[in-house]
Amino acid sequence: RDSFPGRIYIESPKAAVVEKFLKGVPDIYFNQKILVPVQELPSLLSATKKANEVEIESGSYVRIRSGIYKNDLASVLEVSPNKLSVLLKIVPRIVYEYEEQYENGKRKKKTLNASNRPPQALFNPTLALRSDPNNYSMRNDIYIFRNEEYDDGYLIKEFKINRLITENIIPTVDELTKLSGKSGSDLDLA
């Protein structure tokens, strides 16, 4: 049931069997038991779609919820068969040369997050090869740099649906221009 978040359902002929079982399972706290009527069991096992849930399909736009790409616009290339993840096309935010930081005499790699992220720019294979040749390769016209795939300058990456904002996506003209790879005069807004 949607009204009981964080609950589990166990089918058993007797409540005592469930209590005995749950005493041996860590991180499950048995403080409330509800006997579900047999008529409601099928509805518990069927996936329900929320009224405000948007259907994601190839070609639609989404925004990324967190991380270095927080609030960046992305185009959906492919939806997984189970609809739990999508393959996205994103304008990347790449740091080719890391600033070296030292802590206690040891070199420390600077971590990236939404507050110190680099600007959006298409992938530059020349800069990538020059900055980190050990983490650079190419396969079938797709560049692989630091375990990320880049096609035609764009990052191609799989994201879980729950890491995306799918509702009320209104892209700006600038975002559409960057994502489509066209100049402003060639951009079709229809």
Side-chain angles (χ1 to χ4, degrees), residues 4 26 33 36 53-55 63 67 98-101 103 114 119 125 128 141 149 151 158 178 184:
F4 294 137
K33 63 180 177 187
V36 178
E53 199 171 292
V54 176
E55 186 69 31
R63 291 197 186 276
Y98 286 108
E99 294 176 23
E100 293 186 5
Q101 291 183 334
E103 187 175 290
D141 294 332
E149 293 184 0
D151 185 17
E158 188 170 327
K178 285 180 184 177

Side-chain angles (χ1 to χ4, degrees), residues 13-188:
K14 296 180 184 176
V17 175
V18 175
E19 289 177 26
K20 186 177 179 182
F21 170 74
L22 290 178
K23 285 182 181 173
V25 180
D27 297 327
I28 294 182
Y29 305 102
F30 185 71
N31 34 344
Q32 182 183 12
K33 63 180 177 187
I34 300 172
L35 187 62
V36 178
V38 176
Q39 298 84 1
E40 290 186 29
L41 290 177
S43 66
L44 291 174
L45 299 175
S46 64
T48 57
K49 187 174 169 181
K50 295 179 184 172
N52 61 353
E53 199 171 292
V54 176
E55 186 69 31
I56 297 176
E57 55 189 34
S58 182
S60 60
Y61 293 108
V62 296
R63 291 197 186 276
I64 298 163
R65 196 177 296 274
S66 62
I68 189 173
Y69 296 104
K70 183 176 183 176
N71 291 327
D72 283 357
L73 186 71
S75 175
V76 177
L77 297 176
E78 189 177 303
V79 181
S80 68
N82 61 7
K83 300 196 185 271
L84 294 178
S85 62
V86 291
L87 191 65
L88 298 179
K89 172 184 167 183
I90 312 163
V91 179
R93 294 180 179 272
I94 306 170
V95 175
Y96 295 103
E97 302 281 340
Y98 286 108
E99 294 176 23
E100 293 186 5
Q101 291 183 334
Y102 291 92
E103 187 175 290
N104 298 331
K106 295 181 182 178
R107 193 170 77 178
K108 181 182 170 188
K109 186 175 162 184
K110 186 177 181 182
T111 57
L112 296 175
N113 55 35
S115 63
N116 66 348
R117 62 189 188 167
Q120 287 185 316
L122 294 180
F123 177 72
N124 185 331
T126 307
L127 280 175
L129 182 60
R130 198 177 308 152
S131 67
D132 198 354
N134 296 331
N135 289 312
Y136 173 88
S137 63
M138 188 174 175
R139 180 183 45 198
N140 299 333
D141 294 332
I142 294 178
Y143 294 99
I144 300 168
F145 182 62
R146 297 183 182 142
N147 296 325
E148 302 278 9
E149 293 184 0
Y150 299 91
D151 185 17
D152 208 18
Y154 296 97
L155 173 65
I156 307 299
K157 188 170 182 172
E158 188 170 327
F159 282 85
K160 300 283 184 196
I161 295 282
N162 61 0
R163 291 197 55 213
L164 304 175
I165 300 169
T166 58
E167 300 170 346
N168 302 324
I169 305 299
I170 303 170
T172 64
V173 174
D174 185 44
E175 288 175 321
L176 288 172
T177 305
K178 285 180 184 177
L179 204 54
S180 68
K182 298 177 182 177
S183 66
S185 59
D186 296 335
L187 187 62
D188 182 19

